[in-house]
Amino acid sequence: KSRDNIIHRMRAFTLSVIAALALTACHESIEDKAEREAREYTERYCPTPVNNCVRTDSVAFDKSTRVYSYYCTFTDKMDDKVLVDQHRKDLHSQLTQSIRESTSLKAYKEAGFVFAYVCRSQQHPSVVLYTDKFGPKDYR
């Protein structure tokens, strides 16, 4: 009986090790997850419909810098450099609040990612009207 008990324990141990290795092998790092989710979002939804004079063109994550970037286009009345410059502080405040309140970014915020926004003109796509970055000190 003790021999059978030892064999049973060895089998149980071996299965535990195999299960642990399988789970570890399938585990995706937070950086890999961010990169994948940004790519999938862009493929599925971008460009998004215009909402409040803003269209999201793509989302990207750079593993080396840990920056999660939103590339957008300002349309209609927001497609105005003077107006954007006048409301730069308001835009910063609104985006900060949006990041703070976002539950979908929770894991990325906990990982200390930086969030960046690059917003271009619809009329003049080479013109960047607004760019901003938000790190942990901004959204915590």
Side-chain angles (χ1 to χ4, degrees):
K1 274 192 170 182
S2 91
R3 181 175 178 264
D4 289 341
N5 197 12
I6 292 171
I7 290 172
H8 178 71
R9 285 185 184 166
M10 289 299 288
R11 282 186 186 151
F13 174 75
T14 302
L15 287 174
S16 297
V17 169
I18 290 170
L21 289 174
L23 288 174
T24 303
C26 294
H27 184 68
E28 183 178 40
S29 74
I30 190 73
E31 291 83 5
D32 289 340
K33 178 182 177 189
E35 185 178 57
R36 177 183 53 76
E37 287 184 348
R39 181 182 61 252
E40 288 174 356
Y41 183 87
T42 298
E43 290 169 357
R44 284 188 189 139
Y45 303 110
C46 293
T48 64
V50 174
N51 184 17
N52 294 323
C53 302
V54 180
R55 177 185 70 223
T56 302
D57 298 312
S58 66
V59 181
F61 179 71
D62 184 330
K63 285 201 249 183
S64 65
T65 60
R66 300 184 71 184
V67 175
Y68 202 92
S69 300
Y70 294 89
Y71 297 94
C72 304
T73 297
F74 284 163
T75 65
D76 306 315
K77 64 184 176 189
M78 284 293 295
D79 192 357
D80 178 343
K81 184 167 177 30
V82 173
L83 181 71
V84 171
D85 287 342
Q86 288 173 346
H87 294 282
R88 191 166 297 279
K89 287 182 182 178
D90 294 330
L91 287 167
H92 180 84
S93 293
Q94 290 171 5
L95 287 169
T96 300
Q97 193 63 29
S98 177
I99 293 167
R100 282 183 184 147
E101 293 174 356
S102 174
T103 56
S104 63
L105 298 176
K106 184 178 186 233
Y108 301 152
K109 292 185 290 187
E110 288 173 354
F113 288 2
V114 171
F115 300 93
Y117 291 83
V118 178
C119 304
R120 297 184 178 277
S121 164
Q122 181 180 30
Q123 292 179 32
H124 308 284
S126 63
V127 175
V128 175
L129 296 173
Y130 180 80
T131 184
D132 211 342
K133 285 188 177 182
F134 304 84
K137 66 178 176 62
D138 299 306
Y139 56 76
R140 285 193 178 146

